[in-house]
Each structure stands twice: as C-alpha cells, then as structure tokens.
Amino acid sequence: MTIHPIDVILHKRDGFSLSDEEIHSFVRALVERTPDRLLVTDAQIAAFLMAVFLNGLNPSELASLTREMRFSGDTFDAAPLKTFTIDKHSTGGVGDKTSLLIAPVLAAAGLAHPTPEGVPGICVPMISGRSLGHTGGTLDKLETIPGFNTQLDLPRMAETLRRCGAALIGQTPRIVPADRILYALRDHTGTVESPFLINASIMSKKLAESLNALVLDVKVGSGAFMPSYERSKYLAELMVQTGEASGTRTVALLTGMDEPLGRFSGNWIEVWECVDIMRGRRHPLSSDLIELSNALSGWMLHLAGRASSPQEGALLADRILTSGEAYEAWLKIVQAQGGDTSLFDDPAAHHHPAATRTLKATETGYLSSMDCKQVGWAVQRLGAGRAKPADPVDAHAGIESHAKLGDRIEAGQPLFTLFSSDERLLDEPEQMLSETIRIEPDAPVKQPLIREIVSAASLQSAS
Ligand code: URA
C-alpha cells in the first residue's frame, strides 16, 4: 500500500506514533523527488518538521528516522581498513577549533601503532560542516589553507586514512542527502532547536562514517544551540542512546560555551592558534582550548584502548601535542589533502585583515559575563561566518579575545581586537561586543569547562 506524505504528517500532527514504514517512505520521497516528480513538496516537509518539533519522537521513531537518514545516500565503509575508527563531533560553538587538534593527536597515536596490515591503529574519518548561524565551521577554517581540498570522495578519504590516520572532509552531496534537504528547511521554519531533529541530523551523519566509537561535545551555556542545561543534557542522552543502539560506543561531554574558546575566533586565525599549540607555543588565552581538546582526545584514546582511563588518555594527548608528534601528523594530513604547509612556519605573517579595531574596557572590575551567542554573531558580521548558506566567508575576519571570564580588568585594557576586510563592517560587531560584556566589582563564580559526562554507564545508573 502506498503511504502518502500527507498521511505521515497527519499522524504525527495528531500525536500518533509513526511506523518504520511511514518514516521509510517519507525519507525515500525526500531523496527521490526530482523537479518533475515532486513526491513530497517543501510545504509538506516543513509541516512534517513542525509536527516533529511540537510532538517529539518516541525512541523507536527516533531510531527509525536516524537510520533512514543515515542510509539515504552513500556511507563510508571502514571495514577494509581493519582499524579502529573514531570521531568527535561538537554541537557548535564560538572559537571551537578542537577538531584541528584532536584529529592530528589521534592520527599520531594511530601512526605510532599500526595494524599488521600497516594501517594506522586508530583512524579518524572526520566529516565536518561549515559555519552555521553564530557558530564557526571546521571546513571554513581548513579552506583558508591554500590548496587544502575538503571535497575528497570516499575512496580518497579511505586512502588518506590509510596513509595519515585522519582525513578532514566535507559532506558530499551523496552522503546523508536527507539531512541536507531537511536542514535547509529547518533553518527557515523555526525547527532547528528540536533535540530529536538535531539528534537525527548529527547522528545520521556520524553513523554514516561507520565508527567504532564517537565522542560528542555537547555545548551548554549562552553560546549553545540548546536554551538550557537540561535541554542540552537531554540531547546528549538521546545521542548516546542512538549511538549505542547502533553498535557505536558513544560518550558525550557537556562542556561550557559561555565565552569563545581559546584566543581567536574566525577562520585562518583559528588555524594559526592550533599550529602554535602543536609547535609548542602555548598562549595563556589558549588554555581552555587545550584543556577541552585533551579531555575529548583523552576519551577517544581511552575508547580506542590506548589509555586505561579518560584521564590517562588526556595526559597522553597532551604528551602527543607537546612532543611535536601531533604537528608531524598534521603536516602529513594537510599535505595529503593538497594544502600548502609552508604557511605554518609563520602563521601570524599570513593574517591580513584590511581593518582592525580594539575594544577597550571602560571600567575596572572583573569580567563577569557575556552572551556568547552575541559574540558569535559579532564574529559572523565581521565576515567570518555567513548570512546565507551560499555566502563566501572571509579568511581573515574574526576576533582576538584578550581576557577570559573571571579575569581582573583595568579600565582602558583591551578586551577584544576585531578583524575584517572592510572598515565599514567593524561598527556593528564592536557595538554588539561592547553591549554584551559585563564588568562587575566582584569576581564571578567560575564554572568548570567540563560539566558532566553522559555515557551508557551513566544512563544505566540513572534508570
Ligand atoms: N549540527 C548538525 O549537523 N545538525 C543540527 O541539527 C545541529 C547542529
């Protein structure tokens, strides 16, 4: 019997549970439609999204939607590599560049212990996204490296993994096409912030990488997509359940996004910050970035069997970062993907913003709060992010943070330096930043960067 999209929409709208067949037929209609054969219209997709947003999905519906999306196009088959595959995914942040450190750290750990077939013992098939809303995107950062090709097809990704232990690529049109269609409409229909739709979107893409294990960085705080700690935790729980039910060991770290991570937020400047760290130059404002990157890498090394605990894994990750092994792995990955590594000798020399302005503190006290989402939007308005999906991004736009929450501030001290290619783009972001910064007489209570771990074990003990 044919299942029509309208029947699926009506069922969900009226609070019934959708069957596997209904979800299968809806997702197939999505990806098989053509301009001449409109199996489902944009209006129907939007109605479906809103029905899910309002009524949610039960565990069986969520598993079904995630599975149908995962298999809606090509999937990466890691089995021929006979190695341990692992990835990390963040729900999106400001200045969040941990992928640029984690991939080389894990690759170095894998290269140091190859399999009997000579493949790195750990491989990271990282499929990343572009900047979205107020958050930055790994692909936009990588593409500031001249020649770096993020558009490898799956056979070339497998070859890069074999040689380097990590590959950093973008979603091709053939990987999880259902997400591409749904995501484009979610942005316009007020349905982005549904934990069910976020789960299906992120987990379908991650599970399409055929991973043995996955570590999720779920953001909490003013820069997170989810509006409260509870909602972020719920999302983390859904994603851990979904991963585990599909046979991928999955752990989520709930981590603070109350201020930009590290020293720089932008594109090339974030690559510069990571290159500095991998070459042993640790700026004090990069401490939170290094802490988070080591914690996430630590969990990954632990799940990959290279460390007896996540804490031991974090120490190992730090050793790999400081020894230069991560930098060597990074050079290998960048060269394999066609990037020009000569820029890394002096990354600061390749930062060419045409316009710069420094925002200074107007009072003395402690940096007590900021709306990190507003800071992210300021970075976007400087040109580092995009207003529409097809917009180009400016490699040299962004901000440098000069202080962290809790720091003592003297009036006149620099708080942020703004970079853009156009002097006229500086005014609005400067205003946005100055409006959102709070300097108070008393030091705020500092929150830990890593708030909570959600794992199969923690879910079991809570139930
Ligand atoms: N990132 C994704 O890939 N999907 C979402 O729904 C949200 C963030």
Side-chain angles (χ1 to χ4, degrees), residues 217-250:
D217 178 6
V218 179
K219 303 294 187 189
V220 298
S222 62
F225 270 116
M226 287 283 116
S228 69
Y229 189 91
E230 289 66 34
R231 301 272 290 171
S232 291
K233 185 165 176 190
Y234 183 59
L235 172 62
E237 290 171 351
L238 286 181
M239 292 199 287
V240 169
Q241 280 157 357
T242 303
E244 291 283 336
S246 307
T248 296
R249 289 289 316 276
T250 309

Side-chain angles (χ1 to χ4, degrees), residues 89-92 132 179 183 186 192 197-199 201-202 205 225:
H89 185 82
S90 151
T91 55
L132 178 73
D179 180 60
Y183 204 94
R186 279 169 63 202
V192 168
L197 295 174
I198 295 178
N199 175 90
S201 166
I202 292 177
K205 286 178 286 198
F225 270 116

Side-chain angles (χ1 to χ4, degrees), residues 40 130 137 143 344:
V40 55
R130 299 194 177 278
E143 286 175 358
F344 303 149

Side-chain angles (χ1 to χ4, degrees), residues 243-442:
E244 291 283 336
S246 307
T248 296
R249 289 289 316 276
T250 309
V251 172
L253 278 66
L254 289 163
T255 76
M257 188 32 76
D258 287 307
E259 62 184 325
L261 194 62
R263 178 183 173 199
F264 290 122
S265 306
N267 292 309
W268 171 253
I269 49 182
E270 294 200 25
V271 176
W272 163 10
E273 182 171 3
C274 292
V275 167
D276 269 4
I277 293 167
M278 288 187 276
R279 299 190 73 195
R281 293 189 288 250
R282 294 190 172 203
H283 193 283
L285 283 147
S286 297
S287 305
D288 55 352
L289 166 65
I290 296 171
E291 180 189 344
L292 181 58
S293 166
N294 285 342
L296 293 164
S297 301
W299 267 100
M300 293 168 82
L301 291 165
H302 172 54
L303 294 176
R306 289 301 150 79
S308 62
S309 67
Q311 293 74 17
E312 197 191 284
L315 293 175
L316 174 58
D318 201 53
R319 277 202 298 280
I320 294 174
L321 264 187
T322 40
S323 66
E325 289 166 84
Y327 186 57
E328 268 177 49
W330 165 253
L331 293 177
K332 227 174 147 98
I333 300 163
V334 174
Q335 278 159 2
Q337 296 196 219
D340 178 358
T341 54
S342 67
L343 274 65
F344 303 149
D345 292 338
D346 187 3
H350 298 279
H351 177 45
H352 302 297
T356 301
R357 191 176 296 169
T358 298
L359 175 68
K360 295 190 175 152
T362 51
E363 55 205 314
T364 293
Y366 291 89
L367 187 55
S368 65
S369 71
M370 65 184 82
D371 176 354
C372 186
K373 207 173 261 175
Q374 175 130 331
V375 177
W377 282 119
V379 174
Q380 184 261 340
R381 300 276 158 84
L382 285 164
R386 39 175 72 78
K388 292 191 298 306
D391 287 350
V393 297
D394 178 348
H396 300 286
I399 58 169
E400 177 175 5
S401 302
H402 296 290
K404 290 280 167 183
L405 291 177
D407 283 356
R408 175 86 190 154
I409 304 291
E410 301 297 328
Q413 175 183 332
L415 294 174
F416 290 111
T417 301
L418 292 74
F419 309 113
S420 185
S421 295
D422 185 341
E423 180 74 35
R424 290 165 304 179
L425 294 183
L426 294 174
D427 294 342
E428 191 192 6
E430 181 188 25
Q431 171 98 17
M432 291 165 81
L433 291 171
S434 70
E435 273 170 12
T436 192
I437 288 291
R438 290 276 167 279
I439 295 175
E440 306 281 357
D442 298 320

Side-chain angles (χ1 to χ4, degrees), residues 13-173:
R13 183 199 70 181
D14 294 340
F16 293 102
S17 170
L18 298 179
S19 66
D20 286 350
E21 292 71 30
E22 284 177 305
I23 294 175
H24 173 80
S25 88
F26 196 86
V27 174
R28 290 321 305 166
L30 270 184
V31 292
E32 285 168 11
R33 72 187 185 144
T34 61
D36 306 332
R37 213 166 142 255
L38 220 48
L39 300 171
V40 55
T41 64
D42 277 0
Q44 287 176 317
I45 303 169
F48 172 80
L49 290 169
M50 188 55 83
V52 171
F53 187 91
L54 296 174
N55 291 330
L57 293 174
N58 66 30
S60 140
E61 292 174 302
L62 183 58
S64 190
L65 179 61
T66 309
R67 188 177 52 248
E68 290 298 335
M69 288 171 64
R70 169 186 179 181
F71 292 111
S72 63
D74 292 351
T75 53
F76 178 63
D77 180 13
L81 292 174
K82 295 199 189 114
T83 185
F84 190 91
T85 52
I86 187 160
D87 195 5
K88 132 11 263 197
H89 185 82
S90 151
T91 55
V94 183
D96 183 357
K97 52 197 91 68
T98 60
S99 293
L100 305 186
L101 296 174
I102 290 171
V105 165
L106 269 288
L111 286 162
H113 295 274
T115 65
E117 288 82 13
V119 174
I122 304 174
C123 281
V124 186
M126 195 176 265
I127 301 179
S128 304
R130 299 194 177 278
S131 77
L132 178 73
H134 70 285
T135 66
T138 301
L139 289 189
D140 295 320
K141 298 167 201 182
L142 289 168
E143 286 175 358
T144 63
I145 303 168
F148 194 99
N149 181 7
T150 58
Q151 302 303 303
L152 305 186
D153 58 18
L154 294 178
R156 283 190 64 201
M157 172 153 99
E159 189 43 40
T160 308
L161 290 172
R162 213 180 277 280
R163 281 166 49 204
C164 310
L168 300 154
I169 70 162
Q171 204 183 342
T172 72

